[in-house]
């Protein structure tokens, strides 16, 4: 456990939702907070991702690291120079306005973040990349979306392998060049940003693991959902442990 007087703070990027279809809330999946607390050994702090309420400059000072979570709304295609279509789905422009400049600021400062699913896509877009609105429609690609029916356990079940670059950061972290992961996404990377390094791909070639080249801090992001069963999964646990170590290092340097 941490030797700090208090645990370093990880800002968990939240999403907007409705309780009973009417009451607006800021929300975050419990498994995200659980993984940050129990595996990364940091204090999870849910962030309302809305520029009307928070400023990126304040977040950078209050938090030691950030978890860029998944979310049903997608990044607006205007952020990467394209027009929206029905395939792009719903959007959250408020979250776009926080996370994209936050990623760029963290890259510049060396402040750690871990990107998951939508967060993975945010890292690519923030660094100048683009997205496919529906990768299952591309030739040779599989359907990476969450099953429409079934239990939570079935939805987050491990379903496909990710092949990692031999000798790369992810292969070193996991101690393997192939790992089994879950898949719950419709969009994916089309053009990687100039500094985006793709180190992991699914069997169909879909990018699944990236980091930002020449960034001074922890910038790993994955297209799957490692927050599920993070304490016990042999892929999720080392990822969140490494993220926690990076956050504690940042906090110690800041102190």
């Amino acid at each position: 456990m941490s030797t700090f007087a208090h645990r370093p703070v990880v800002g968990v990027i939240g999403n907007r939702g409705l309780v009973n279809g009417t009451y607006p809330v800021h929300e975050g999946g419990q498994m995200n907070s659980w993984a940050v607390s129990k595996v990364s050994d940091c204090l999870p702090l849910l962030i309302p991702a809305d520029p009307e309420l928070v400023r990126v400059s304040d977040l950078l000072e209050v938090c030691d690291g950030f978890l860029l979570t998944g979310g049903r709304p997608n990044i607006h295609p205007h952020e990467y120079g394209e027009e929206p279509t029905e395939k792009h789905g719903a959007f959250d422009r408020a979250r776009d306005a926080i996370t994209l400049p936050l990623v760029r600021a963290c890259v510049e400062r060396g402040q750690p973040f871990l990107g998951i699913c939508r967060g993975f896509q945010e890292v690519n877009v923030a660094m100048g990349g683009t997205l496919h609105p529906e990768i299952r429609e591309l030739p040779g690609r599989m359907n990476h979306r969450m099953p429409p029916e079934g239990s939570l356990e079935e939805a987050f079940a491990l379903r496909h392998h990710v092949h990692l670059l031999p000798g790369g950061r992810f292969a070193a972290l996991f101690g393997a060049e192939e790992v089994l992961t879950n898949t719950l996404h419709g969009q994916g990377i089309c053009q990687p940003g100039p500094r985006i390094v793709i180190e992991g791909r699914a069997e169909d070639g879909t990018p699944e693991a990236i980091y930002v080249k020449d960034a001074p801090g922890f910038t790993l992001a994955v297209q799957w959902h490692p927050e599920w069963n993070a304490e016990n999964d042999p892929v999720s646990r080392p990822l969140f442990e490494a993220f926690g170590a990076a956050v504690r290092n940042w906090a110690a340097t800041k102190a």
Side-chain angles (χ1 to χ4, degrees):
M1 297 296 288
S2 174
T3 57
F4 287 91
H6 60 82
R7 293 190 296 172
V9 176
V10 168
V12 180
I13 300 299
N15 293 290
R16 294 185 296 178
L18 294 174
V19 173
N20 296 327
T22 57
Y23 185 75
V25 296
H26 295 115
E27 60 185 15
Q30 291 184 19
M31 64 182 76
N32 292 309
S33 299
W34 190 272
V36 167
S37 179
K38 300 297 184 180
V39 185
S40 298
D41 191 20
C42 297
L43 175 67
L45 181 65
L46 184 63
I47 302 297
D50 187 335
E52 294 292 324
L53 305 176
V54 300
R55 295 181 299 185
V56 169
S57 58
D58 291 335
L59 296 179
L60 292 169
E61 293 305 315
V62 170
C63 301
D64 300 299
F66 298 93
L67 182 66
L68 308 170
T69 65
R72 187 168 296 278
N74 294 313
I75 303 166
H76 199 287
H78 281 173
E79 298 291 349
Y80 46 93
E82 298 181 10
E83 292 299 316
T85 68
E86 289 187 5
K87 293 180 180 179
H88 286 94
F91 308 117
D92 185 347
R93 297 300 274 141
R95 174 165 168 164
D96 293 346
I98 291 295
T99 54
L100 300 181
L102 178 64
V103 167
R104 290 188 284 265
C106 285
V107 168
E108 181 178 351
R109 288 161 58 93
Q111 197 158 350
F113 61 74
L114 171 60
I116 291 175
C117 200
R118 176 189 160 118
F120 168 96
Q121 296 165 11
E122 286 170 335
V123 174
N124 184 53
V125 172
M127 301 309 296
T130 66
L131 303 174
H132 286 295
E134 190 64 81
I135 58 174
R136 62 181 172 178
E137 295 183 357
L138 296 173
R141 299 293 183 92
M142 56 191 273
N143 184 4
H144 289 254
R145 286 188 174 275
M146 177 188 293
E149 299 178 352
S151 66
L152 195 64
E153 288 77 10
E154 291 169 328
F156 281 86
L158 305 180
R159 290 198 297 278
H160 73 66
H161 289 89
V162 172
H163 302 282
L164 304 170
L165 179 69
R169 298 186 183 188
F170 286 92
L173 181 61
F174 301 142
E177 294 177 3
E178 181 180 294
V179 293
L180 186 61
T181 69
N182 50 33
T183 177
L184 301 91
H185 62 100
Q187 296 195 329
I189 289 179
C190 176
Q191 182 67 35
R195 294 177 62 187
I196 294 297
V197 178
I198 300 174
E199 279 202 354
R201 293 181 183 270
E203 298 102 318
D204 63 358
T206 298
E208 295 275 343
I210 62 174
Y211 70 89
V212 180
K213 183 180 180 181
D214 296 328
F218 186 102
T219 61
L220 273 57
V222 298
Q223 184 64 88
W224 67 86
H225 283 266
E227 73 275 22
W228 172 256
N229 193 29
E231 283 188 282
N232 302 308
D233 183 77
V235 176
S236 301
R237 187 171 188 91
L239 182 59
F240 273 97
E241 287 177 339
F243 174 56
V247 174
R248 282 188 293 278
N249 182 65
W250 173 270
T253 302
K254 185 175 69 173

